[in-house]
Amino acid sequence: MLTPAFDLSQDSDFLTVAIRLPYARVSEFDVYFEGVDFKFYAKPYFLRLTLPGRIVENGSEQGSYDADKGIFTIRLPKETPGQHFEGLNMLTSLLAPRKSRTAKPLVEEIGASEVSEEVEDDDEEFDWEIEQTPYEEVSESALSPQCYYGFGNLRSGVFQRLQDELSEVIDIKNPDFTPAAERRQKRLAAELAKFDPDHYLADFFENEAVEQILKYSPWWNHTYSKMMASLENSQEQESHAVLVSFSEEEKYQLRKFVNKSYLLDKRAHRQVYYSLIDILLAYCYEIRVTEGERNVESAWNIRKLSPTLCWFETWTNVHEILVAFGRRVLCYPLYRHFKLVTKAHRDTVKILQLGESAVLKCLLDIHKIFQENDPAYILNDLYISDYCVWIQKAKSKKLSTLAKALEEASLTKGQLGLELEELEAAALLVQEEETAGKAAYSASTQTLGSSPEASDSEASESELESESESDSTASSGTEDSASEHKELSGSLCMPVTSLQGPFLQASSALVGDGVACTHTTSQRKSQAVARASGACGPLIEELGEQLRTTLQVSQPEDATAGSHSSMQDSEEVTDAE
C-alpha cells in the first residue's frame, strides 16, 4: 500500500482532508472516521490518521473529487464546533496509530495511571535557569567503557563502524570512548588554538560586509511580526493555524519519516531541549550569512558552529550554550563578529516563540542540507531525523518557557574567555598612534614643501637685484666711455696742457673702481686714444703709451704708484715742451 500525499485544514466547524490520488480508482474507495480516527482506502493508496481533535458523523460531512488535479476532498464535522485543532501540519505525528503514540516502559508499577503520568509530565514546569550538577563521567566510564551521544544520548558504538568518515563529520576523536568532561576540555583547547586575533580585528574594523548581513531579514521575522500583531488583536488561535506553512517538498519529507516514541528520563529530556537551542543557533547564523541561499559550505557551517553536532557536547544551562556558540563563531567561520552572535541569539528566541511549527520548518531545512552533503548525513541519523519526529509531539508551553529562558540569558565579550575587550583596546590605541603619526608626517611634509618655495623666491629676488645692479653698472660704464670718447674727440686740436687733467682724473677714478672694471675701461680708452693718435701726432701717441702702461695694473697700490709716476712723467714732458 502507498501512503498518499495529503493536507489538512480547518474552519470553526469542519476539518478538511485533501488527499492526492493521481493513479487511484476513485470509483472504489472507502472512508471511515470516528472520534480521533480517520481511515481512507482507494487502491493502491491507504491513509490512516490520528487526529488532534474529535470528529463526528452527523450527516453534514461532504466529499468531492477533482479529476483534473486528482485530489479527493473530504469535509468532516467537528464534534465540538468552534474547537481549534492543534498540530494539523505535523504530518508525521498524524500518521502514527493511536496505540503507539505513547511508548510504554517494559517494567511499570502495577496500578499506576498512564494517563495521569503523561498529564503530569506535560504540565511540569522546567526551571531553565537552575544550575545542574555536572554529570560524573568517571563512574559511568568505569562501569561501561562506551560513551553515549546522539538524540537524548541514546546512541553509542556508531563511529566504530564509520572510522573513515569520522574526521569529515565531527572534531572529536574516538567519541565512543571519550567522556563528556574530556570532550569539553578538548573542545575548549581546540577553540583557543583556532582563535585568530588578526581575523577578528579585521572583521571588527572593516565591518561593511557584516553590517550588510545584519540587515538581512529571514522568513521568521515576517512571521513573528504577524504573530505579535495577531496577539494584539486577540486572534491567537486563528493565527496559529496560518503562521507557518510547509511546502510540498517539506510535506513529502514529513511523510517519509518513521513515527516513533522516545522513552526519555528527565535529564535526557532536558538535554534534548538544550541541544535544540544549540542547533538552532548554528542554523540561524548560517541562514543570515548566506542570506537564505544555501551553498556548499552550509553543512560545514551548521555542524562546525554547533558543539552538539561537532563535539557531542552536553549542557547544564542556557548560558553555557551561548558562550560555546559565541566562541565558535569567533573562531571558525568566514565572518567573525560579535554582532552576529547576538543576532543569532535573537533569531533563535523568535523561532522558539513561534512554536513547534517554526522549529520543525528549520529542522527540515537542516535535514535537507545534511542529506545533500555526503559525510554530514550521519548527523541526520544521530540527531536531526529524531528531532523532526520528536518536535511534532513537543508541548508549546515548554517551548515558550525555553524561549523565555533564552531571551533572559545575556552574553558579553568578556564571558567568552578570548580577551576580546583587551584586544580591541590595544588595537584602538595602535590606530590612534598611527593616526597621530600620519598627521605629524603630513604637517612636516607641508612645511618642507613650503620652505623650498621661499628659498627659491629669495634666490630669484637676489638674482633680479644682481641683474639690475649689473645692468646699472654696465650702463654707467657705457655712459662714461661715451663721454670720455666725446671729450677726446673734441680736444684733438687742443694744447697738450689741456689734455693732462682729464686723463689723470679718469685714471684715478678707474683705479678706485676695481681691477676688473679698470681693465675693461682702460681697454676702451686705449682704443679711443689709438684712434685719435692718427690725427694729433707723435705726442699723443707717447701719451697713449704711458696711459696704457699706467692703467694695466693688478693691485690698487701699484695702480696708485703708477698714477703718480705717470703724473711726474707728464709734468716732465710738459716742462720739456
Side-chain angles (χ1 to χ4, degrees):
M1 292 294 179
L2 301 178
T3 301
F6 67 97
D7 190 16
L8 280 75
S9 60
Q10 64 179 327
D11 54 28
S12 59
D13 297 327
F14 287 89
L15 173 68
T16 302
V17 182
I19 308 172
R20 188 169 180 269
L21 309 169
Y23 307 108
R25 297 177 60 182
V26 293
S27 60
E28 300 178 3
F29 66 91
D30 293 324
V31 177
Y32 169 82
F33 58 94
E34 182 181 2
V36 296
D37 294 330
F38 174 85
K39 297 177 183 178
F40 176 88
Y41 171 74
K43 191 177 181 179
Y45 298 101
F46 175 73
L47 179 62
R48 178 182 57 199
L49 301 177
T50 303
L51 303 175
R54 297 182 63 86
I55 54 179
V56 64
E57 183 178 359
N58 58 8
S60 60
E61 57 274 4
Q62 301 174 1
S64 62
Y65 177 71
D66 188 343
D68 295 332
K69 298 181 180 179
I71 297 178
F72 196 94
T73 304
I74 305 174
R75 286 172 55 86
L76 305 174
K78 296 181 179 180
E79 185 177 271
T80 305
Q83 180 184 3
H84 181 77
F85 289 0
E86 296 286 347
L88 291 181
N89 50 5
M90 306 299 178
L91 304 185
T92 306
S93 62
L94 296 177
L95 288 171
R98 185 180 183 186
K99 60 182 180 181
S100 63
R101 288 178 65 89
T102 303
K104 295 183 179 180
L106 298 179
V107 180
E108 59 181 343
E109 183 181 355
I110 298 176
S113 175
E114 179 185 347
V115 178
S116 62
E117 287 181 358
E118 184 178 356
V119 174
E120 181 181 358
D121 180 71
D122 292 340
D123 294 338
E124 182 182 359
E125 291 288 342
F126 276 4
D127 186 4
W128 301 105
E129 295 301 325
I130 188 172
E131 184 70 24
Q132 302 295 306
T133 304
Y135 184 66
E136 296 293 337
E137 292 287 348
V138 178
S139 59
E140 182 181 354
S141 61
L143 296 175
S144 176
Q146 288 189 343
C147 300
Y148 293 90
Y149 43 82
F151 178 83
N153 289 334
L154 299 177
R155 309 293 292 275
S156 65
V158 175
F159 286 95
Q160 293 180 4
R161 306 185 301 269
L162 300 170
Q163 292 295 329
D164 295 337
E165 298 180 352
L166 174 64
S167 60
E168 300 181 12
V169 179
I170 60 176
D171 289 349
I172 185 175
K173 306 300 181 183
N174 198 12
D176 292 306
F177 299 97
T178 306
E182 186 177 350
R183 295 175 198 170
R184 175 163 298 188
Q185 293 176 0
K186 290 183 178 181
R187 175 179 65 82
L188 295 175
E191 291 167 356
L192 287 177
K194 184 63 177 177
F195 179 69
D196 186 0
D198 294 336
H199 193 147
Y200 172 76
L201 291 177
D203 287 350
F204 179 75
F205 287 103
E206 301 175 1
N207 59 349
E208 294 82 3
V210 175
E211 294 296 334
Q212 184 65 29
I213 291 172
L214 293 174
K215 295 178 182 178
Y216 173 73
S217 179
W219 62 266
W220 53 79
N221 281 353
H222 178 66
T223 308
Y224 183 80
S225 301
K226 289 172 59 178
M227 184 190 72
M228 299 304 296
S230 64
L231 291 177
E232 293 178 357
N233 297 330
S234 301
Q235 299 176 356
E236 182 177 1
Q237 289 187 347
E238 183 179 354
S239 63
H240 277 304
V242 296
L243 278 180
V244 180
S245 60
F246 295 99
S247 64
E248 291 299 326
E249 184 179 4
E250 291 169 340
K251 293 177 182 178
Y252 178 73
Q253 286 181 273
L254 291 174
R255 291 193 299 267
K256 289 181 63 177
F257 288 128
V258 177
N259 183 73
K260 51 185 173 180
S261 299
Y262 302 91
L263 185 61
L264 303 173
D265 59 10
K266 187 175 182 179
R267 182 183 297 276
H269 207 186
R270 190 182 299 272
Q271 287 298 325
V272 168
Y273 279 106
Y274 282 153
S275 298
L276 177 63
I277 294 177
D278 178 53
I279 296 172
L280 289 178
L281 285 170
Y283 174 74
C284 290
Y285 175 92
E286 159 62 21
I287 293 298
R288 184 164 291 280
V289 297
T290 60
E291 296 184 352
E293 299 292 336
R294 294 193 299 267
N295 54 39
V296 294
E297 297 295 333
S298 296
W300 185 91
N301 276 339
I302 295 175
R303 71 172 186 261
K304 203 71 174 181
L305 297 181
S306 170
T308 298
L309 302 177
C310 198
W311 284 90
F312 299 158
E313 185 67 88
T314 57
W315 312 102
T316 59
N317 57 71
V318 175
H319 182 263
E320 69 179 9
I321 300 174
L322 291 176
V323 172
F325 171 72
R327 287 169 60 91
R328 299 189 74 80
V329 167
L330 300 182
C331 292
Y332 290 99
L334 176 62
Y335 299 104
R336 306 178 185 180
H337 203 284
F338 188 76
K339 288 184 178 180
L340 294 175
V341 179
T342 57
K343 200 68 173 180
H345 178 198
R346 297 170 187 168
D347 290 340
T348 305
V349 171
K350 292 180 180 179
I351 293 174
L352 291 174
Q353 290 177 345
L354 286 173
E356 58 272 14
S357 297
V359 176
L360 177 58
K361 191 175 182 69
C362 297
L363 291 173
L364 289 174
D365 196 16
I366 297 173
H367 187 277
K368 182 180 179 181
I369 293 173
F370 286 169
Q371 196 67 29
E372 295 173 352
N373 187 274
D374 190 16
Y377 73 92
I378 302 174
L379 298 176
N380 277 343
D381 297 337
L382 292 176
Y383 288 96
I384 308 303
S385 296
D386 291 326
Y387 266 110
C388 290
V389 176
W390 168 83
I391 194 62
Q392 299 182 53
K393 306 173 186 178
K395 300 301 178 182
S396 301
K397 187 176 182 180
K398 290 184 179 180
L399 289 178
S400 299
T401 57
L402 182 63
K404 183 178 180 181
L406 181 61
E407 186 178 13
E408 293 175 352
S410 60
L411 182 66
T412 61
K413 294 180 179 180
Q415 295 171 343
L416 299 180
L418 300 175
E419 299 181 352
L420 300 180
E421 297 174 344
E422 294 80 358
L423 190 64
E424 293 174 5
L428 291 174
L429 182 61
V430 172
Q431 188 181 41
E432 292 176 358
E433 292 178 354
E434 290 179 354
T435 304
K438 290 180 181 179
Y441 176 76
S442 61
S444 63
T445 304
Q446 294 177 357
T447 304
L448 293 175
S450 60
S451 58
E453 295 176 357
S455 61
D456 293 341
S457 62
E458 292 177 359
S460 60
E461 291 177 358
S462 61
E463 290 177 359
L464 292 174
E465 291 177 357
S466 62
E467 289 176 358
S468 61
E469 290 177 358
S470 63
D471 293 339
S472 61
T473 305
S475 60
S476 62
T478 305
E479 292 175 356
D480 293 341
S481 61
S483 60
E484 291 175 358
H485 178 71
K486 184 176 181 181
E487 291 176 357
L488 288 174
S489 301
S491 60
L492 289 177
C493 299
M494 289 177 63
V496 177
T497 54
S498 63
L499 296 174
Q500 293 179 352
F503 284 109
L504 293 178
Q505 294 176 359
S507 64
S508 301
L510 290 171
V511 170
D513 291 337
V515 180
C517 292
T518 303
H519 180 70
T520 304
T521 308
S522 64
Q523 290 179 353
R524 293 177 180 176
K525 289 184 178 182
S526 61
Q527 292 175 359
V529 173
R531 288 194 299 269
S533 63
C536 297
L539 180 60
I540 300 303
E541 294 179 357
E542 183 178 357
L543 290 175
E545 293 292 336
Q546 293 179 357
L547 180 61
R548 188 181 298 109
T549 302
T550 302
L551 295 177
Q552 292 179 353
V553 294
S554 59
Q555 297 295 333
E557 291 83 358
D558 297 337
T560 306
S563 64
H564 286 294
S565 63
S566 63
M567 289 175 64
Q568 293 177 0
D569 293 337
S570 60
E571 289 176 358
E572 292 176 358
V573 171
T574 304
D575 294 339
E577 290 177 356

